[in-house]
Each structure stands twice: as C-alpha cells, then as structure tokens.
Amino acid sequence: MLPRGSQYGTMELEQPAPTSEQAPGRAFLLLIALVFGCEGFQIGFPSLAFRYFEKDVLQLDPAGSSQVVSLVALPWCFKPLYALLSDRCPLWGLRRIPYMVLSLVLMSTCPLLLTQPGVRFEGYCMLRVVFEGCMAMLAVCAEAMSVERSIALSPEQSNRLQSLQWGSLQLLMTAGNVLGGLVLGVQWLGYGAVFECTSAVTVCIAVLVACHAHLGVKTGEDGNPLPALSAYLSQMKRVAGDWRYGSMATYMLLVSSMPGTQTSMFYYYTQHMGLSEYEMAAYLTWQQISAILGVGLYGVAGASLTVRKVMALLLVSIAACRCFHLVLLTGRGEVWGIPDAVFLLVDASVNAASTNVLQVPMMSCAALLCEPGLESVMFAVYTSAMILGMAVSSQLEAVLVEWLGLVRHDFKHIVSLRITSAILGLLPLLFHRLLPTQEALARMKEERMGRVFTNSPTASCPGV
C-alpha cells in the first residue's frame, strides 16, 4: 500500500509485494490451491445431495427448488461488502486468515444441522444461505491474498497464478461431483453421510488454513498500520474516477452477459435425443474434465499471450464450436455417417474448455489492475460484475427461447437459437479496446510505484 505520509493516508501493503521476477513461495501456492480446491469441493460434493434433500425430505416441486437456487445465490452478490469487512476489521491482527478459518468452521456446522430430524423449508433455506455466505467470504479472502501477490507480478506470472486457482477449483469440483454421487448412491449411506463428510472435510481444511497463519502479516502496533477510514475512502474515490479501472469491469460484464444455450441444449439432449441420466452424467463429467485440461493448457502455453489476443482467440473458438454443433442439430451428421457422440464430445471439450479458460485472462488482468490497499474490494467488484453478467446471460437466453417459441418437446428453432448465440458471442470483439494493453498495464504499474516512492517519507532523505 501507500506508505505513511502519502496524500492518501497511512496505507501500507499487508504483505510485501513480490517483484516481477519473484514468484510466490510454495507455502503460499499450497494455501491458494488448498482454499480454492476446498471451494470447488464444497460446490461439487454436496450438490446432488442438496437436490435430493429438497425433493425427498422437503417435498419441493421444481418451482420451489428454483426459489432455493435464487435465494442461495444472494450472498454472492455482497462480495464487495465482505471485502470491505476484511479490509477494515482485522481479527487478532490479521485481515484474511482469521476470516477464512471462521468461515470454514461456521460452514461446517450447516450440513451437520441438516442431518437432524425435523428440518423445515425455512430452516433449510437459512442454513443454505449461511453456507453460501461463508463460502463467498472464504473466496473473497483467498482472492484478496492472491491479488496482493499479483499486483507486482508480470502478466505471465499472474496468468499462471490464476490458472492454479481456477484449475484447483475445477479439479476438486469434478472430484467432489463424482465422490458425492458415489456416496449418495450407496443405499445405507444417503444424503446424511454426504452432509457429514462435507462437514468433516471442511473442519480439516480449517485446521490446515490455520496452520498457514504465518503467511499473513499483522496489522496494528506490531505490524503494518491500518489505514485511516478517510484515507481509505479517498483512495476509493480516486480509483472510481479513473476510467481505466471501470472499463475492465464493463468488459467483464459484457462478456459474461452474452446469452448461452446451456439450458436449451439440456432439454434437447434429454427430450429430443433421449439421453439417460447416466449418459448426461458422463457428458457433464467430460465437460468438467475438459475445463480442467483447458485451464492447465492455458497456464502452460497461453500465459505469455496478451489479454487481447487470448480473449479474441477464445471468443472465436466458442463461436466456431457453436457453429460446428449445427451439424448435429440439422441432422447432417446422420447423412454423413458420423455418430452423434462425436459431436457431443467435441462440443463438451471445446466449449467447456474455452468457456472456463475465458475467465482466467480476465481475472488475471483484473488482479494486475487492483490498487494496493483496495485489492479485496476491487477484485470483489470485478468478480461481482461477472456474476451479474451470468445472471443477465440466463435472462437473455430465456428471452430468446420465448421469442423463438422453443418448448419442452418442440425444437424446430433450436438451430436459430444456436446461430443467434454464436453471433452475439462475438459482440465483445467490438469492445476489445476496453481491455488494457501490456504497455498500459506496465505504465499503470510504474505510476503506482512512482506514487508510492514520491509520497514516501524516506524519498526526500539523502542516502536512503
């Protein structure tokens, strides 16, 4: 952060920022992989058990389950507030680790309470909201620690750090889905065992995170001073008035808002093609594996590419995949003697890999743009823009489906939906100037470092 004596107050970095040649240490990388892997596991492992609990125990209909989905998504919309809390209210002299441990401990109690008899709809919703809120707080703190390290890294190093994060999340989410389904399928175990395992794993992760408390730098008298609120707000005002930061959030919102075809294609596969539950499970698992491989491949081969170039390649590949899928939708594959499974696998591989990798360069660029002292809040705003965009994307797909007249058993306009989605998916290419160039990122980094040095009380001291 900015040192004492600067025009923005007594702000300092909570942790020393590495130089562009100094990559984060192994202990830090292990912590990041552990926390993001935990987040992925908590998303995947109990997901099927939650659905069966709603159907069998709470006796909810599809409309009621949809209400639960909308309700449990609310805590993720308040990520900037969680970031502000962790920035301004350190616990035991630390801003991130204690919040992560407390979130994990509180999160572990929610699935256990669901195993108790007599759980009603209101109690279930409250426990799910608390569970998701704790997961959102965990994600905010982990992202903040990562961004604090990313600020002074080179773009290539930042890309690889983001690849590690999202690769760990995807890997453990896939493993969680598989393990959760296996445990749930054992007749004498059921969803109760899934909830108990979820709690046990969460407690273990909390202990491991607490063991990494040495990675956090203390604030207060024996560490970096907490910035004054007025100085904190002044820096926020300065950043909010700089269009270079807002343009990145605008681009992330735009890319995430483009309508997809996931819901429509699910009905097409199950209703029109007649895929069974096991076949759909295999298809979804292959999608997740492809996403993991895509993120890993990008971390190895694509991390050195500029953000504009890699975003253009990904957007074009997604559009090309949707157009290639028209061979299946129009029935030309049967004429040419190509099995439908080929198109399903190609669609699952390319589309899932490209869609998931699409987030990595944007997240990496956003991490490089975050100002010292506002890392948590700024990155939370960027991720919230993506979450908002995903909600808009779902609504746009619903509008297109209604406009084209697609219903559960009538898919005669599915080709039009796929073509429209592919064309609209290329729209962000017209707004690539919103993305910063490598030169702009380097210039902003120099400005930030120059501001720190100019306002430092040691800058005017001879011999320092």
Side-chain angles (χ1 to χ4, degrees), residues 214-226:
H214 63 280
L215 295 177
V217 177
K218 289 188 175 182
T219 61
E221 295 180 359
D222 54 348
N224 293 332
L226 190 69

Side-chain angles (χ1 to χ4, degrees), residues 330-446:
T330 57
R332 300 302 301 175
E334 296 180 0
V335 177
W336 296 339
I338 304 176
D340 291 342
V342 173
F343 296 99
L344 289 177
L345 291 177
V346 171
D347 176 73
S349 302
V350 180
N351 194 43
S354 301
T355 303
N356 282 271
V357 173
L358 195 68
Q359 302 180 17
V360 178
M362 291 193 294
M363 292 293 189
S364 175
C365 188
L368 293 173
L369 288 173
C370 291
E371 283 280 321
L374 299 179
E375 305 96 344
S376 182
V377 172
M378 289 185 66
F379 200 75
V381 169
Y382 286 131
T383 55
S384 297
M386 291 192 66
I387 294 173
L388 176 60
M390 293 174 185
V392 173
S393 175
S394 299
Q395 293 301 314
L396 288 178
E397 181 184 358
V399 170
L400 287 174
V401 167
E402 184 176 358
W403 177 57
L404 293 171
L406 292 175
V407 294
R408 182 181 293 266
H409 299 287
D410 184 3
F411 299 97
K412 63 181 179 180
H413 294 301
I414 190 72
V415 173
S416 300
L417 176 65
R418 196 73 170 181
I419 294 175
T420 304
S421 174
I423 294 174
L424 292 177
L426 295 174
L427 185 62
L429 291 174
L430 302 176
F431 298 89
H432 258 37
R433 293 183 65 86
L434 293 175
L435 289 171
T437 62
Q438 299 295 93
E439 293 76 15
L441 288 173
R443 186 164 56 251
M444 292 176 70
K445 181 178 177 180
E446 290 176 0

